[in-house]
Amino acid sequence: MFAAIFLLIGLYMGYNKEDNDEMVIEQTSTPKVDDSLEKDINQQSISEGIEQPAQGVGSLLGKDIDSLKETLGEPSRVDLSAYGFHWWIFNNDIDQYIQAGVLDGKVVTAYGIGPSVNVQPFEIGQPIEEIFSMNVIEPDVTFEYNGSSYKFELSEQDMNTRPIIKMGEYFVQLYIDKFTSSVSSIRYMDKETIVKQRPYEMVYRGTLIEPPVLSEGDWVRIEAGLEKQILDITNAIRLRHELPTLEWDEKTAEVAYAHSKDMAIEDYFSHESEKFGDLSERLKAAEILYQVAGENIAANYTDGPAVVEGWLNSESHREALLNEEFSHLGVGVYQRHYTQNFLRLWEQEQ
């Protein structure tokens, strides 16, 4: 028996009252047990993938803390994740933005975005045709870990927008900008991390690795980190498109957080709240003066990198991310609900 999980994204764009709402739904499944998986593993003929690079973001996997500091220096901050590891954030140069996930003193995952970041053997902006010609992308990825067997099954959409590749004992997840058919960002993971995150439909045999149980205090720390990560990644994407970066606005972030929390608690997914109204009404109640505003919402994505790349691959949400009119951004995350509020404040013209 398994239940469906829905990944949702929605957009609001308004000049005080105009509403252009759109929802895109991507469906995956919860893990299910398959007693025939062992036979699949023995008979598989999938690609052996690539070797772990000696340099770049991919080389960070498996490093200890001292080696990580020696390579990248001190992090700008450290954010707790929902999967037990801590994100070390390196954002001094947004062109080489890196998040390194550390668990038990070792790097278990890493994420890189920005035109100058080293993601050997790939490149940010690399055409997807070049990667497919390497014959390293397969629709099924099967592996064993701690006596259990796992298989990820990629849909056609997964193959085109976020394929996964074996890299020795690790995995590389490529986020593809479908509008430019090129690599947007790259994530590297070890086996335990990818099973905890379950980014694709998964079949397993044996014992399923579960993410940690989180307290209310854990979620407060996780949410605060996700909000700033979404700002950083949004700005990295805007720089790639030669657009000015967005400044953080705390009052707007509070409005965004309130909407994410309201959606989660009241169990709905919409830009309009029965209690608090649409974006323009919520901004007015917070006494925020603006010329133009936009809102992206999402639910059930694994984390910040995943949700921003999801918005980037939806045409209307992409327009908000890449709108040159906006000057400020407030992000609010409540557990698995995400809200981005974009603004051009009146003060920008005074």
Side-chain angles (χ1 to χ4, degrees):
M1 180 181 296
F2 64 93
I5 299 176
F6 292 94
L7 307 182
L8 309 172
I9 54 180
L11 168 77
Y12 172 102
M13 283 287 290
Y15 295 79
N16 294 326
K17 290 296 290 183
E18 295 179 12
D19 188 1
N20 174 24
D21 191 11
E22 178 179 328
M23 183 188 302
V24 177
I25 300 177
E26 178 183 345
Q27 179 176 324
T28 61
S29 299
T30 55
K32 52 184 181 290
V33 179
D34 187 350
D35 292 332
S36 67
L37 183 56
E38 184 174 10
K39 181 179 178 181
D40 291 341
I41 292 176
N42 293 334
Q43 293 183 354
Q44 66 175 310
S45 59
I46 64 174
S47 168
E48 293 302 316
I50 60 176
E51 294 183 359
Q52 184 178 8
Q55 297 180 334
V57 180
S59 70
L60 299 176
L61 273 288
K63 287 184 180 294
D64 59 24
I65 290 176
D66 289 338
S67 298
L68 177 61
K69 289 182 178 180
E70 184 178 346
T71 303
L72 297 178
E74 292 288 341
S76 301
R77 65 176 191 273
V78 176
D79 300 337
L80 180 63
S81 80
Y83 304 98
F85 60 84
H86 286 79
W87 281 120
W88 288 38
I89 307 299
F90 301 90
N91 66 353
N92 289 331
D93 184 352
I94 207 71
D95 276 351
Q96 301 184 57
Y97 178 83
I98 295 173
Q99 298 183 194
V102 176
L103 178 66
D104 296 331
K106 299 285 186 180
V107 178
V108 298
T109 183
Y111 171 81
I113 188 172
S116 302
V117 71
N118 184 339
V119 289
Q120 294 183 15
F122 307 103
E123 295 179 6
I124 301 299
Q126 183 176 8
I128 187 60
E129 292 83 359
E130 291 183 7
I131 296 172
F132 273 102
S133 69
M134 298 166 62
N135 297 315
V136 294
I137 296 178
E138 299 286 343
D140 296 335
V141 175
T142 309
F143 61 96
E144 293 186 344
Y145 179 67
N146 283 355
S148 297
S149 303
Y150 302 90
K151 181 168 73 171
F152 286 107
E153 301 172 342
L154 279 66
S155 66
E156 182 178 353
Q157 181 175 354
D158 293 333
M159 292 284 287
N160 290 328
T161 60
R162 51 182 192 139
I164 190 110
I165 299 168
K166 282 187 173 181
M167 185 184 76
E169 291 298 307
Y170 304 112
F171 298 93
V172 183
Q173 187 179 39
L174 305 176
Y175 287 108
I176 306 300
D177 182 339
K178 71 179 185 181
F179 292 91
T180 62
S181 298
S182 63
V183 176
S184 176
S185 61
I186 295 186
R187 186 197 300 257
Y188 304 82
M189 294 172 280
D190 68 3
K191 293 177 178 179
E192 180 175 330
T193 301
I194 195 172
V195 173
K196 286 179 181 177
Q197 292 193 341
R198 301 168 197 166
Y200 311 99
E201 185 167 325
M202 187 178 79
V203 180
Y204 74 99
R205 182 177 184 272
T207 302
L208 182 62
I209 302 170
E210 297 284 359
V213 177
L214 301 170
S215 68
E216 183 176 344
D218 290 334
W219 273 116
V220 171
R221 294 174 59 197
I222 291 165
E223 291 158 1
L226 286 169
E227 289 167 0
K228 295 302 175 65
Q229 292 165 32
I230 289 171
L231 170 69
D232 288 337
I233 295 167
T234 297
N235 277 334
I237 290 172
R238 287 176 67 88
L239 277 178
R240 184 164 71 220
H241 290 268
E242 300 181 346
L243 294 169
T245 57
L246 302 174
E247 295 183 32
W248 182 261
D249 187 76
E250 186 60 33
K251 288 182 66 176
T252 305
E254 291 171 2
V255 172
Y257 177 81
H259 189 60
S260 290
K261 185 174 182 179
D262 187 51
M263 286 193 294
I265 291 176
E266 299 299 328
D267 192 25
Y268 72 96
F269 184 76
S270 172
H271 296 284
E272 186 163 352
S273 164
E274 289 187 5
K275 293 182 180 179
F276 307 109
D278 63 17
L279 176 59
S280 63
E281 293 171 305
R282 287 181 268 124
L283 292 173
K284 182 178 179 180
E287 299 182 344
I288 297 173
L289 301 177
Y290 66 95
Q291 290 179 282
V292 58
E295 178 173 86
N296 284 341
I297 59 176
N300 295 335
Y301 280 80
T302 56
D303 58 14
V307 71
V308 177
E309 291 290 352
W311 282 323
L312 185 66
N313 269 333
S314 174
E315 185 172 2
S316 55
H317 308 91
R318 179 188 185 91
E319 290 176 1
L321 285 170
L322 302 181
N323 191 321
E324 64 182 7
E325 291 188 73
F326 295 136
S327 59
H328 287 73
L329 178 67
V331 182
V333 178
Y334 182 79
Q335 297 191 6
R336 301 294 183 182
H337 286 74
Y338 308 81
T339 301
Q340 271 187 320
N341 286 160
F342 301 86
L343 297 176
R344 170 164 284 280
L345 300 177
W346 276 110
E347 65 183 20
Q348 297 302 301
E349 297 298 321
Q350 294 177 356

PDB file of all heavy atoms in Angstrom, residues 60-89:
ATOM      1  N   LEU A  60      34.088  17.172  -2.595  1.00  0.00           N
ATOM      2  CA  LEU A  60      33.861  17.413  -1.172  1.00  0.00           C
ATOM      3  C   LEU A  60      33.249  16.209  -0.470  1.00  0.00           C
ATOM      4  O   LEU A  60      33.409  16.054   0.743  1.00  0.00           O
ATOM      5  CB  LEU A  60      32.934  18.620  -0.986  1.00  0.00           C
ATOM      6  CG  LEU A  60      33.421  19.966  -1.518  1.00  0.00           C
ATOM      7  CD1 LEU A  60      32.331  21.025  -1.320  1.00  0.00           C
ATOM      8  CD2 LEU A  60      34.701  20.406  -0.832  1.00  0.00           C
ATOM      9  N   LEU A  61      32.548  15.347  -1.206  1.00  0.00           N
ATOM     10  CA  LEU A  61      31.878  14.200  -0.593  1.00  0.00           C
ATOM     11  C   LEU A  61      32.884  13.315   0.126  1.00  0.00           C
ATOM     12  O   LEU A  61      33.899  12.920  -0.449  1.00  0.00           O
ATOM     13  CB  LEU A  61      31.112  13.388  -1.634  1.00  0.00           C
ATOM     14  CG  LEU A  61      29.673  13.808  -1.961  1.00  0.00           C
ATOM     15  CD1 LEU A  61      28.727  13.483  -0.828  1.00  0.00           C
ATOM     16  CD2 LEU A  61      29.578  15.266  -2.343  1.00  0.00           C
ATOM     17  N   GLY A  62      32.586  13.022   1.375  1.00  0.00           N
ATOM     18  CA  GLY A  62      33.462  12.166   2.171  1.00  0.00           C
ATOM     19  C   GLY A  62      34.536  12.908   2.947  1.00  0.00           C
ATOM     20  O   GLY A  62      35.198  12.321   3.802  1.00  0.00           O
ATOM     21  N   LYS A  63      34.739  14.188   2.665  1.00  0.00           N
ATOM     22  CA  LYS A  63      35.778  14.957   3.373  1.00  0.00           C
ATOM     23  C   LYS A  63      35.351  15.205   4.823  1.00  0.00           C
ATOM     24  O   LYS A  63      34.164  15.328   5.128  1.00  0.00           O
ATOM     25  CB  LYS A  63      36.022  16.300   2.687  1.00  0.00           C
ATOM     26  CG  LYS A  63      36.775  16.231   1.367  1.00  0.00           C
ATOM     27  CD  LYS A  63      37.051  17.623   0.839  1.00  0.00           C
ATOM     28  CE  LYS A  63      37.814  17.610  -0.480  1.00  0.00           C
ATOM     29  NZ  LYS A  63      39.175  17.063  -0.318  1.00  0.00           N
ATOM     30  N   ASP A  64      36.356  15.334   5.719  1.00  0.00           N
ATOM     31  CA  ASP A  64      36.057  15.719   7.082  1.00  0.00           C
ATOM     32  C   ASP A  64      35.998  17.247   7.183  1.00  0.00           C
ATOM     33  O   ASP A  64      36.257  17.957   6.211  1.00  0.00           O
ATOM     34  CB  ASP A  64      37.081  15.133   8.059  1.00  0.00           C
ATOM     35  CG  ASP A  64      38.515  15.574   7.776  1.00  0.00           C
ATOM     36  OD1 ASP A  64      38.721  16.636   7.163  1.00  0.00           O
ATOM     37  OD2 ASP A  64      39.437  14.831   8.166  1.00  0.00           O
ATOM     38  N   ILE A  65      35.664  17.724   8.373  1.00  0.00           N
ATOM     39  CA  ILE A  65      35.459  19.158   8.553  1.00  0.00           C
ATOM     40  C   ILE A  65      36.726  19.948   8.285  1.00  0.00           C
ATOM     41  O   ILE A  65      36.697  21.012   7.647  1.00  0.00           O
ATOM     42  CB  ILE A  65      34.910  19.445   9.968  1.00  0.00           C
ATOM     43  CG1 ILE A  65      33.472  18.943  10.072  1.00  0.00           C
ATOM     44  CG2 ILE A  65      34.978  20.926  10.293  1.00  0.00           C
ATOM     45  CD1 ILE A  65      32.867  19.091  11.453  1.00  0.00           C
ATOM     46  N   ASP A  66      37.862  19.445   8.756  1.00  0.00           N
ATOM     47  CA  ASP A  66      39.119  20.164   8.540  1.00  0.00           C
ATOM     48  C   ASP A  66      39.429  20.299   7.055  1.00  0.00           C
ATOM     49  O   ASP A  66      39.864  21.360   6.594  1.00  0.00           O
ATOM     50  CB  ASP A  66      40.275  19.450   9.253  1.00  0.00           C
ATOM     51  CG  ASP A  66      40.195  19.589  10.773  1.00  0.00           C
ATOM     52  OD1 ASP A  66      39.535  20.531  11.241  1.00  0.00           O
ATOM     53  OD2 ASP A  66      40.778  18.739  11.475  1.00  0.00           O
ATOM     54  N   SER A  67      39.196  19.230   6.298  1.00  0.00           N
ATOM     55  CA  SER A  67      39.448  19.278   4.848  1.00  0.00           C
ATOM     56  C   SER A  67      38.477  20.216   4.160  1.00  0.00           C
ATOM     57  O   SER A  67      38.839  20.921   3.214  1.00  0.00           O
ATOM     58  CB  SER A  67      39.346  17.874   4.254  1.00  0.00           C
ATOM     59  OG  SER A  67      40.322  17.015   4.801  1.00  0.00           O
ATOM     60  N   LEU A  68      37.232  20.237   4.632  1.00  0.00           N
ATOM     61  CA  LEU A  68      36.233  21.147   4.063  1.00  0.00           C
ATOM     62  C   LEU A  68      36.649  22.598   4.276  1.00  0.00           C
ATOM     63  O   LEU A  68      36.604  23.420   3.354  1.00  0.00           O
ATOM     64  CB  LEU A  68      34.868  20.881   4.697  1.00  0.00           C
ATOM     65  CG  LEU A  68      33.718  21.798   4.275  1.00  0.00           C
ATOM     66  CD1 LEU A  68      33.450  21.707   2.784  1.00  0.00           C
ATOM     67  CD2 LEU A  68      32.445  21.459   5.070  1.00  0.00           C
ATOM     68  N   LYS A  69      37.089  22.909   5.500  1.00  0.00           N
ATOM     69  CA  LYS A  69      37.539  24.284   5.788  1.00  0.00           C
ATOM     70  C   LYS A  69      38.779  24.636   4.978  1.00  0.00           C
ATOM     71  O   LYS A  69      38.926  25.769   4.511  1.00  0.00           O
ATOM     72  CB  LYS A  69      37.825  24.429   7.277  1.00  0.00           C
ATOM     73  CG  LYS A  69      36.600  24.416   8.165  1.00  0.00           C
ATOM     74  CD  LYS A  69      37.009  24.609   9.624  1.00  0.00           C
ATOM     75  CE  LYS A  69      35.814  24.650  10.549  1.00  0.00           C
ATOM     76  NZ  LYS A  69      36.207  24.833  11.965  1.00  0.00           N
ATOM     77  N   GLU A  70      39.665  23.670   4.822  1.00  0.00           N
ATOM     78  CA  GLU A  70      40.880  23.929   4.045  1.00  0.00           C
ATOM     79  C   GLU A  70      40.549  24.249   2.599  1.00  0.00           C
ATOM     80  O   GLU A  70      41.212  25.070   1.956  1.00  0.00           O
ATOM     81  CB  GLU A  70      41.802  22.710   4.114  1.00  0.00           C
ATOM     82  CG  GLU A  70      43.138  22.897   3.415  1.00  0.00           C
ATOM     83  CD  GLU A  70      44.049  21.687   3.548  1.00  0.00           C
ATOM     84  OE1 GLU A  70      43.766  20.817   4.394  1.00  0.00           O
ATOM     85  OE2 GLU A  70      45.037  21.615   2.786  1.00  0.00           O
ATOM     86  N   THR A  71      39.492  23.616   2.074  1.00  0.00           N
ATOM     87  CA  THR A  71      39.104  23.818   0.677  1.00  0.00           C
ATOM     88  C   THR A  71      38.298  25.098   0.483  1.00  0.00           C
ATOM     89  O   THR A  71      38.554  25.863  -0.451  1.00  0.00           O
ATOM     90  CB  THR A  71      38.283  22.616   0.178  1.00  0.00           C
ATOM     91  OG1 THR A  71      39.044  21.412   0.347  1.00  0.00           O
ATOM     92  CG2 THR A  71      37.934  22.776  -1.305  1.00  0.00           C
ATOM     93  N   LEU A  72      37.322  25.351   1.354  1.00  0.00           N
ATOM     94  CA  LEU A  72      36.373  26.445   1.143  1.00  0.00           C
ATOM     95  C   LEU A  72      36.464  27.555   2.182  1.00  0.00           C
ATOM     96  O   LEU A  72      35.829  28.603   2.015  1.00  0.00           O
ATOM     97  CB  LEU A  72      34.938  25.902   1.117  1.00  0.00           C
ATOM     98  CG  LEU A  72      34.598  24.917  -0.009  1.00  0.00           C
ATOM     99  CD1 LEU A  72      33.156  24.438   0.130  1.00  0.00           C
ATOM    100  CD2 LEU A  72      34.817  25.538  -1.377  1.00  0.00           C
ATOM    101  N   GLY A  73      37.225  27.353   3.244  1.00  0.00           N
ATOM    102  CA  GLY A  73      37.298  28.352   4.297  1.00  0.00           C
ATOM    103  C   GLY A  73      36.153  28.196   5.293  1.00  0.00           C
ATOM    104  O   GLY A  73      35.454  27.174   5.318  1.00  0.00           O
ATOM    105  N   GLU A  74      35.942  29.217   6.093  1.00  0.00           N
ATOM    106  CA  GLU A  74      34.862  29.202   7.073  1.00  0.00           C
ATOM    107  C   GLU A  74      33.527  29.504   6.384  1.00  0.00           C
ATOM    108  O   GLU A  74      33.455  30.361   5.503  1.00  0.00           O
ATOM    109  CB  GLU A  74      35.112  30.238   8.166  1.00  0.00           C
ATOM    110  CG  GLU A  74      36.296  29.921   9.056  1.00  0.00           C
ATOM    111  CD  GLU A  74      36.036  28.760  10.000  1.00  0.00           C
ATOM    112  OE1 GLU A  74      34.844  28.436  10.228  1.00  0.00           O
ATOM    113  OE2 GLU A  74      37.024  28.187  10.507  1.00  0.00           O
ATOM    114  N   PRO A  75      32.462  28.823   6.772  1.00  0.00           N
ATOM    115  CA  PRO A  75      31.155  29.101   6.161  1.00  0.00           C
ATOM    116  C   PRO A  75      30.598  30.434   6.629  1.00  0.00           C
ATOM    117  O   PRO A  75      30.943  30.941   7.703  1.00  0.00           O
ATOM    118  CB  PRO A  75      30.288  27.933   6.667  1.00  0.00           C
ATOM    119  CG  PRO A  75      30.901  27.565   7.988  1.00  0.00           C
ATOM    120  CD  PRO A  75      32.391  27.773   7.802  1.00  0.00           C
ATOM    121  N   SER A  76      29.722  31.017   5.820  1.00  0.00           N
ATOM    122  CA  SER A  76      29.030  32.243   6.215  1.00  0.00           C
ATOM    123  C   SER A  76      28.046  31.974   7.347  1.00  0.00           C
ATOM    124  O   SER A  76      27.819  32.810   8.214  1.00  0.00           O
ATOM    125  CB  SER A  76      28.278  32.837   5.019  1.00  0.00           C
ATOM    126  OG  SER A  76      29.168  33.127   3.963  1.00  0.00           O
ATOM    127  N   ARG A  77      27.456  30.804   7.327  1.00  0.00           N
ATOM    128  CA  ARG A  77      26.554  30.387   8.392  1.00  0.00           C
ATOM    129  C   ARG A  77      26.393  28.863   8.292  1.00  0.00           C
ATOM    130  O   ARG A  77      26.808  28.243   7.315  1.00  0.00           O
ATOM    131  CB  ARG A  77      25.196  31.076   8.285  1.00  0.00           C
ATOM    132  CG  ARG A  77      24.394  30.720   7.058  1.00  0.00           C
ATOM    133  CD  ARG A  77      23.009  31.366   7.044  1.00  0.00           C
ATOM    134  NE  ARG A  77      22.181  30.801   5.999  1.00  0.00           N
ATOM    135  CZ  ARG A  77      22.150  31.228   4.740  1.00  0.00           C
ATOM    136  NH1 ARG A  77      22.895  32.277   4.383  1.00  0.00           N
ATOM    137  NH2 ARG A  77      21.372  30.649   3.851  1.00  0.00           N
ATOM    138  N   VAL A  78      25.756  28.276   9.306  1.00  0.00           N
ATOM    139  CA  VAL A  78      25.462  26.843   9.315  1.00  0.00           C
ATOM    140  C   VAL A  78      23.968  26.673   9.581  1.00  0.00           C
ATOM    141  O   VAL A  78      23.453  27.169  10.584  1.00  0.00           O
ATOM    142  CB  VAL A  78      26.290  26.103  10.387  1.00  0.00           C
ATOM    143  CG1 VAL A  78      25.888  24.637  10.439  1.00  0.00           C
ATOM    144  CG2 VAL A  78      27.784  26.245  10.099  1.00  0.00           C
ATOM    145  N   ASP A  79      23.265  26.003   8.666  1.00  0.00           N
ATOM    146  CA  ASP A  79      21.817  25.806   8.760  1.00  0.00           C
ATOM    147  C   ASP A  79      21.502  24.339   9.025  1.00  0.00           C
ATOM    148  O   ASP A  79      22.084  23.447   8.394  1.00  0.00           O
ATOM    149  CB  ASP A  79      21.125  26.204   7.449  1.00  0.00           C
ATOM    150  CG  ASP A  79      21.340  27.658   7.068  1.00  0.00           C
ATOM    151  OD1 ASP A  79      21.623  28.465   7.971  1.00  0.00           O
ATOM    152  OD2 ASP A  79      21.222  27.967   5.862  1.00  0.00           O
ATOM    153  N   LEU A  80      20.571  24.084   9.907  1.00  0.00           N
ATOM    154  CA  LEU A  80      20.085  22.730  10.121  1.00  0.00           C
ATOM    155  C   LEU A  80      19.184  22.315   8.965  1.00  0.00           C
ATOM    156  O   LEU A  80      18.402  23.119   8.459  1.00  0.00           O
ATOM    157  CB  LEU A  80      19.299  22.657  11.436  1.00  0.00           C
ATOM    158  CG  LEU A  80      18.722  21.291  11.822  1.00  0.00           C
ATOM    159  CD1 LEU A  80      19.828  20.267  12.042  1.00  0.00           C
ATOM    160  CD2 LEU A  80      17.849  21.424  13.073  1.00  0.00           C
ATOM    161  N   SER A  81      19.287  21.054   8.526  1.00  0.00           N
ATOM    162  CA  SER A  81      18.404  20.527   7.485  1.00  0.00           C
ATOM    163  C   SER A  81      17.374  19.604   8.119  1.00  0.00           C
ATOM    164  O   SER A  81      17.479  19.236   9.294  1.00  0.00           O
ATOM    165  CB  SER A  81      19.203  19.753   6.432  1.00  0.00           C
ATOM    166  OG  SER A  81      19.497  18.440   6.887  1.00  0.00           O
ATOM    167  N   ALA A  82      16.387  19.203   7.336  1.00  0.00           N
ATOM    168  CA  ALA A  82      15.357  18.283   7.817  1.00  0.00           C
ATOM    169  C   ALA A  82      15.813  16.828   7.750  1.00  0.00           C
ATOM    170  O   ALA A  82      15.025  15.930   8.084  1.00  0.00           O
ATOM    171  CB  ALA A  82      14.084  18.461   6.995  1.00  0.00           C
ATOM    172  N   TYR A  83      17.059  16.591   7.351  1.00  0.00           N
ATOM    173  CA  TYR A  83      17.529  15.221   7.134  1.00  0.00           C
ATOM    174  C   TYR A  83      18.684  14.834   8.050  1.00  0.00           C
ATOM    175  O   TYR A  83      19.388  13.866   7.790  1.00  0.00           O
ATOM    176  CB  TYR A  83      17.913  15.052   5.660  1.00  0.00           C
ATOM    177  CG  TYR A  83      16.759  15.395   4.761  1.00  0.00           C
ATOM    178  CD1 TYR A  83      16.655  16.657   4.165  1.00  0.00           C
ATOM    179  CD2 TYR A  83      15.725  14.496   4.560  1.00  0.00           C
ATOM    180  CE1 TYR A  83      15.570  16.996   3.389  1.00  0.00           C
ATOM    181  CE2 TYR A  83      14.627  14.823   3.782  1.00  0.00           C
ATOM    182  CZ  TYR A  83      14.551  16.061   3.192  1.00  0.00           C
ATOM    183  OH  TYR A  83      13.461  16.395   2.436  1.00  0.00           O
ATOM    184  N   GLY A  84      18.893  15.595   9.117  1.00  0.00           N
ATOM    185  CA  GLY A  84      19.877  15.235  10.117  1.00  0.00           C
ATOM    186  C   GLY A  84      21.225  15.890   9.962  1.00  0.00           C
ATOM    187  O   GLY A  84      21.964  16.047  10.930  1.00  0.00           O
ATOM    188  N   PHE A  85      21.574  16.311   8.748  1.00  0.00           N
ATOM    189  CA  PHE A  85      22.860  16.972   8.540  1.00  0.00           C
ATOM    190  C   PHE A  85      22.697  18.489   8.645  1.00  0.00           C
ATOM    191  O   PHE A  85      21.580  19.019   8.631  1.00  0.00           O
ATOM    192  CB  PHE A  85      23.472  16.589   7.186  1.00  0.00           C
ATOM    193  CG  PHE A  85      22.625  16.940   5.992  1.00  0.00           C
ATOM    194  CD1 PHE A  85      22.650  18.211   5.441  1.00  0.00           C
ATOM    195  CD2 PHE A  85      21.807  15.983   5.388  1.00  0.00           C
ATOM    196  CE1 PHE A  85      21.876  18.538   4.334  1.00  0.00           C
ATOM    197  CE2 PHE A  85      21.033  16.289   4.284  1.00  0.00           C
ATOM    198  CZ  PHE A  85      21.063  17.572   3.760  1.00  0.00           C
ATOM    199  N   HIS A  86      23.822  19.188   8.749  1.00  0.00           N
ATOM    200  CA  HIS A  86      23.841  20.652   8.768  1.00  0.00           C
ATOM    201  C   HIS A  86      24.399  21.164   7.441  1.00  0.00           C
ATOM    202  O   HIS A  86      25.423  20.667   6.964  1.00  0.00           O
ATOM    203  CB  HIS A  86      24.709  21.177   9.918  1.00  0.00           C
ATOM    204  CG  HIS A  86      24.068  21.040  11.264  1.00  0.00           C
ATOM    205  ND1 HIS A  86      24.032  19.844  11.960  1.00  0.00           N
ATOM    206  CD2 HIS A  86      23.428  21.958  12.056  1.00  0.00           C
ATOM    207  CE1 HIS A  86      23.406  20.026  13.115  1.00  0.00           C
ATOM    208  NE2 HIS A  86      23.031  21.293  13.194  1.00  0.00           N
ATOM    209  N   TRP A  87      23.718  22.144   6.878  1.00  0.00           N
ATOM    210  CA  TRP A  87      24.222  22.809   5.666  1.00  0.00           C
ATOM    211  C   TRP A  87      25.254  23.856   6.071  1.00  0.00           C
ATOM    212  O   TRP A  87      24.929  24.786   6.811  1.00  0.00           O
ATOM    213  CB  TRP A  87      23.098  23.495   4.909  1.00  0.00           C
ATOM    214  CG  TRP A  87      22.214  22.664   4.052  1.00  0.00           C
ATOM    215  CD1 TRP A  87      20.869  22.512   4.161  1.00  0.00           C
ATOM    216  CD2 TRP A  87      22.593  21.912   2.893  1.00  0.00           C
ATOM    217  NE1 TRP A  87      20.382  21.705   3.171  1.00  0.00           N
ATOM    218  CE2 TRP A  87      21.426  21.328   2.370  1.00  0.00           C
ATOM    219  CE3 TRP A  87      23.817  21.677   2.255  1.00  0.00           C
ATOM    220  CZ2 TRP A  87      21.437  20.517   1.242  1.00  0.00           C
ATOM    221  CZ3 TRP A  87      23.821  20.865   1.130  1.00  0.00           C
ATOM    222  CH2 TRP A  87      22.644  20.299   0.627  1.00  0.00           C
ATOM    223  N   TRP A  88      26.479  23.724   5.574  1.00  0.00           N
ATOM    224  CA  TRP A  88      27.472  24.783   5.686  1.00  0.00           C
ATOM    225  C   TRP A  88      27.321  25.643   4.439  1.00  0.00           C
ATOM    226  O   TRP A  88      27.482  25.150   3.306  1.00  0.00           O
ATOM    227  CB  TRP A  88      28.878  24.191   5.772  1.00  0.00           C
ATOM    228  CG  TRP A  88      29.185  23.527   7.085  1.00  0.00           C
ATOM    229  CD1 TRP A  88      28.334  22.779   7.850  1.00  0.00           C
ATOM    230  CD2 TRP A  88      30.442  23.545   7.779  1.00  0.00           C
ATOM    231  NE1 TRP A  88      28.963  22.322   8.973  1.00  0.00           N
ATOM    232  CE2 TRP A  88      30.267  22.783   8.961  1.00  0.00           C
ATOM    233  CE3 TRP A  88      31.677  24.121   7.519  1.00  0.00           C
ATOM    234  CZ2 TRP A  88      31.294  22.596   9.873  1.00  0.00           C
ATOM    235  CZ3 TRP A  88      32.707  23.926   8.431  1.00  0.00           C
ATOM    236  CH2 TRP A  88      32.511  23.183   9.601  1.00  0.00           C
ATOM    237  N   ILE A  89      27.013  26.923   4.633  1.00  0.00           N
ATOM    238  CA  ILE A  89      26.686  27.816   3.530  1.00  0.00           C
ATOM    239  C   ILE A  89      27.894  28.683   3.190  1.00  0.00           C
ATOM    240  O   ILE A  89      28.425  29.403   4.046  1.00  0.00           O
ATOM    241  CB  ILE A  89      25.489  28.720   3.879  1.00  0.00           C
ATOM    242  CG1 ILE A  89      24.296  27.879   4.364  1.00  0.00           C
ATOM    243  CG2 ILE A  89      25.114  29.581   2.680  1.00  0.00           C
ATOM    244  CD1 ILE A  89      23.760  26.897   3.353  1.00  0.00           C
TER     245      ILE A  89
END
